[in-house]
Amino acid sequence: MAPIPGSGLAKGLAVTLRTMTRKTVTEQYPDTQPDLPPRTRGVIGLFEENCTVCMLCARECPDWCIYIDSHKETVPAATPGGRERSRNVLDRFAIDFSLCMYCGICIEVCPFDALFWSPAFEYAETDIRDLTHERDKLREWMWTVPAPPALDPGAEEPKEIAAARKAAEKLAAAQEAQAAQESQAAQAAPNTPPEGEA
């Protein structure tokens, strides 16, 4: 069956009339902050204490927008006769957000949980050179990182927690069995009077 001429126009006008009668919802952005989803990718926050300067984030970054400088320090031996150790100390950690494409690879590859997504998004600059943020600014954003969402009640228990719980239950059962054996041994021992009381 051939379409009736003008039916497309009528459908379009019907949609327009339906939406004209609805109340508009406008968020007044500067005055009212938007309600962002929990996994919003705003900026990257740095938890400096966890960073071991392993350079994985900088190596895996497809845009090469992470700049890390460090130096080695010698740590004295912990025990007498032990040898000195060396460790990396972070001097500079900067991210150039004019190059960053917010892929999140750096956060995923960090083995020590030093990088996190922050929902902060208001960091516009008038000069593109000011979009390279150093570790002080990245640390400030760390405190805007939301807490992780609670686990789904119907989800499987994480393997690490399940293994720890099983080990704790096994240890508690062993301690109970040992206590029961000790109490049985104490009850089975004859009540012999101490020497000299006959």
Side-chain angles (χ1 to χ4, degrees):
M1 178 180 215
I4 301 170
S7 63
L9 178 65
K11 285 180 185 176
L13 287 173
V15 170
T16 303
L17 290 173
R18 270 199 313 268
T19 26
M20 278 175 54
T21 58
R22 291 185 194 155
K23 183 182 176 187
T24 58
V25 180
T26 304
E27 290 186 11
Q28 305 297 329
Y29 162 61
D31 302 325
T32 307
Q33 290 295 319
D35 188 19
L36 298 170
R39 297 183 65 180
T40 299
R41 293 184 175 190
V43 290
I44 297 166
L46 171 68
F47 192 54
E48 205 174 312
E49 286 77 11
N50 285 0
C51 183
T52 60
V53 198
C54 66
M55 306 288 279
L56 272 175
C57 54
R59 272 186 268 153
E60 296 296 325
C61 179
D63 290 335
W64 293 88
C65 65
I66 299 176
Y67 310 111
I68 300 175
D69 291 332
S70 67
H71 70 276
K72 287 196 181 286
E73 278 186 359
T74 304
V75 180
T79 58
R83 68 183 178 99
E84 294 179 340
R85 307 273 179 176
S86 66
R87 69 181 179 102
N88 288 328
V89 177
L90 186 66
D91 291 331
R92 181 184 186 219
F93 193 107
I95 299 177
D96 187 352
F97 285 102
S98 66
L99 296 175
C100 180
M101 63 181 185
Y102 304 92
C103 64
I105 292 175
C106 56
I107 294 168
E108 290 176 21
V109 300
C110 181
F112 301 105
D113 290 334
L115 297 172
F116 295 89
W117 278 119
S118 166
F121 61 92
E122 297 170 318
Y123 56 96
E125 300 288 347
T126 54
D127 189 352
I128 196 169
R129 290 172 290 192
D130 295 333
L131 283 173
T132 301
H133 294 291
E134 299 292 333
R135 68 181 181 179
D136 298 334
K137 187 67 175 173
L138 300 177
R139 185 172 182 79
E140 285 177 29
W141 282 325
M142 182 62 214
W143 310 123
T144 63
V145 173
L151 294 176
D152 184 12
E156 280 185 27
E157 189 176 30
K159 293 176 185 167
E160 297 86 358
I161 295 174
R165 185 179 44 74
K166 286 179 184 175
E169 288 172 359
K170 187 186 266 187
L171 180 64
Q175 288 174 346
E176 286 177 14
Q178 184 179 4
Q181 284 178 355
E182 289 173 359
S183 66
Q184 285 177 356
Q187 289 174 356
N191 292 339
T192 56
E195 289 181 14
E197 289 185 14

